[in-house]
Amino acid sequence: MATEQIAPAINAWDVAQRQFDLAAERLNLSPGLRRVLREPKRELTVHFPVKMDDGSVQVFTGYRVQHNLGRGPAKGGIRYHQDVTLDEVKALAMWMTWKCAVVGIPFGGGKGGVIVNPKKLSQREIEGLTRRFTTEISILIGPERDIPAPDVNTNAQTMAWMMDTYSMHVGYTVPAVVTGKPIPLGGSEGRNEATAQGAVYTIVDAAQHLGMDLRKCRVAVQGFGNAGAIAAQLMAAEGSTVIAVSDSTGAIYRRQGLAVNSVLAWKQEHHSVVGLPGSKEISNEELLELDCDILIPAALENQITAANAGKIQARLIAEAANGPTTPEADEILYKNARFVIPDILCNAGGVTVSYFEWVQDLERDFWTVAQVNEKLRAVMTKAFASTLDMSLSEQVNMRTAAYLLAVQRVADATSVRGLYP
Ligand code: NAD
């Protein structure tokens, strides 16, 4: 009987450390600095009880990790997903450190997560879980210390509960403790769209560099949530044809293009993109390998690996998701002349507008959506140009270029602060 070959699972933390090592080697960082930047500063694990609707008590496990605080307070989202692990949260926290540095905003990297499938919980149970998790991590968070935001399966409502819980503890309202809040609570105009909007600004710049006309481009989007669905809408607004989208239930394809607003309405009603009239169901693997011009991974980590990188046909890959590509896949894509806008640059619009939200909350002075987007565009365009310059001058791919910029900035901040005590 033939034995089935099972590929070893890819560990996101291992990927993050290898990406860092590549940059540290090229930058010739001192061994001491490498040791410091290679590990998170703090990792908190909490096990906490939640009363369920049936009267039972369940215990959930959650994490909050702060990777590096050299350039400012920790910043990073909270993820609710059944596959969350401490290693995944550590990787995401490290990527946040580099992301904030690439776009030059004064934050360090953090991330949090709870092992839970929120689709199996009622709203009341999710609220209870959120409030108790916030309480458990309140020893770390605060507007000057660590500022959470939404990530996979969390949203503005989750942030409202976190802000309210934290404020109840301290006895007064602290809007700046989280970002991605609803606008009436001190959320920023443009924050909900910011990750996708920032990604599209980088796509516009990349297309210009590559001589691609966006009005003639066919786009495939993996993941149809906050980042992916809005990216699909914005690409359609740029005149591109969105030919495929997917979510955790499956993928759909239409050669002549999907009406993105119809997909949104369908998903709203059926909780899945699959089944949209006029579309053909395809597999998630097929979506990634489609004959298209732009691929936007906007779901989870480790989607483009050594196993499928050689089959990716898109000329431009814009990583709205965090960690969608492994280091082996990066090499294959670079060899095949695929242009990757790396996650720490591509999806940095989210944390950039989170920074704007934090500034507005602290100043009690709020900006219009036009002001937010103008500032966001300036940040993204500058970061894209610096990364492209580095990539061309050092003859490295865009990910390594972004890492060289980011790791150098964090290393400079860390070493100029000196070693305490
Ligand atoms: P979300 O929960 O709003 O959406 C995630 C989407 O991915 C959902 O449509 C889900 O069904 C889909 N999905 C999950 N597994 C899938 C699979 N195997 N195949 C296809 N689709 C799948 O989350 P989000 O906030 O849009 O986050 C998506 C990615 O973007 C994550 O990597 C996240 O870390 C990253 N990101 C988000 C933000 C933000 O501001 N929300 C900022 C930066 C980066």
Side-chain angles (χ1 to χ4, degrees), residues 79-81 92 96 99 111 119 149-154 191-192 194-196 221-229 246-250 267 273 284 297-301 303 319-324 343 347-351 354:
R79 175 173 294 193
Y80 289 171
H81 196 276
L92 290 161
M96 287 306 298
K99 194 182 299 182
K111 203 80 181 192
K119 289 172 192 148
D151 192 73
V152 173
N153 290 329
T154 56
R191 173 60 186 89
N192 190 44
T195 303
V221 183
Q222 183 199 40
F224 203 67
N226 174 273
S246 67
D247 62 19
S248 59
T249 64
K267 178 159 169 99
V273 295
N284 193 33
L300 296 170
E301 300 91 53
Q303 298 302 303
E319 295 183 337
N322 284 307
D343 48 6
N347 68 43
V351 75
S354 273

Side-chain angles (χ1 to χ4, degrees), residues 19 42 101 159 162 215 225 280 309 319 330 335 415 419:
Q19 290 167 335
R42 296 192 178 107
M159 295 305 115
M162 291 191 78
R215 287 164 307 177
K280 178 180 161 211
E319 295 183 337
D330 263 333
K335 233 180 272 156
S415 49
L419 190 61

Side-chain angles (χ1 to χ4, degrees), residues 70-251:
R71 301 179 59 262
K75 190 84 192 77
I78 302 277
R79 175 173 294 193
Y80 289 171
H81 196 276
Q82 59 277 14
D83 298 334
V84 163
T85 62
L86 178 57
D87 273 356
E88 179 188 47
V89 178
K90 284 163 67 176
L92 290 161
M94 186 192 249
W95 289 327
M96 287 306 298
T97 301
W98 312 139
K99 194 182 299 182
C100 294
V102 169
V103 286
I105 58 175
F107 286 135
K111 203 80 181 192
V114 177
I115 306 172
V116 59
N117 180 353
K119 289 172 192 148
K120 295 197 169 151
L121 269 55
S122 69
Q123 275 293 97
R124 201 212 60 79
E125 289 169 334
I126 296 174
E127 178 176 352
L129 177 141
T130 300
R131 289 186 180 280
R132 183 61 189 249
F133 177 60
T134 307
T135 303
E136 298 294 339
I137 64 168
S138 64
I139 54 174
L140 288 186
I141 65 174
E144 306 293 347
R145 311 168 71 197
D146 184 346
I147 305 119
D151 192 73
V152 173
N153 290 329
T154 56
N155 54 29
Q157 175 63 75
T158 326
M159 295 305 115
W161 289 326
M162 291 191 78
M163 184 274 240
D164 182 68
T165 304
Y166 183 87
S167 299
M168 287 297 145
H169 290 173
V170 296
Y172 54 91
T173 296
V174 188
V177 66
V178 291
T179 58
K181 295 179 294 294
I183 290 182
L185 298 185
S188 178
E189 296 285 351
R191 173 60 186 89
N192 190 44
E193 301 78 23
T195 303
Q197 182 65 74
V200 171
Y201 287 147
T202 65
I203 290 172
V204 169
D205 289 348
Q208 196 177 10
H209 166 66
L210 298 168
M212 293 166 76
D213 179 352
L214 287 183
R215 287 164 307 177
K216 294 190 182 136
C217 285
R218 294 154 307 150
V219 182
V221 183
Q222 183 199 40
F224 203 67
N226 174 273
I230 301 176
Q233 278 179 309
L234 294 174
M235 288 309 295
E238 291 290 335
S240 300
T241 307
V242 178
I243 58 169
V245 299
S246 67
D247 62 19
S248 59
T249 64

Side-chain angles (χ1 to χ4, degrees), residues 7 10 285 289 302-312 326 328-329 332:
I10 299 164
E285 291 72 36
E289 297 164 15
N302 304 327
Q303 298 302 303
I304 305 177
T305 66
N308 62 358
K311 300 182 206 150
I312 304 281
T326 66
E328 293 77 16
I332 297 168

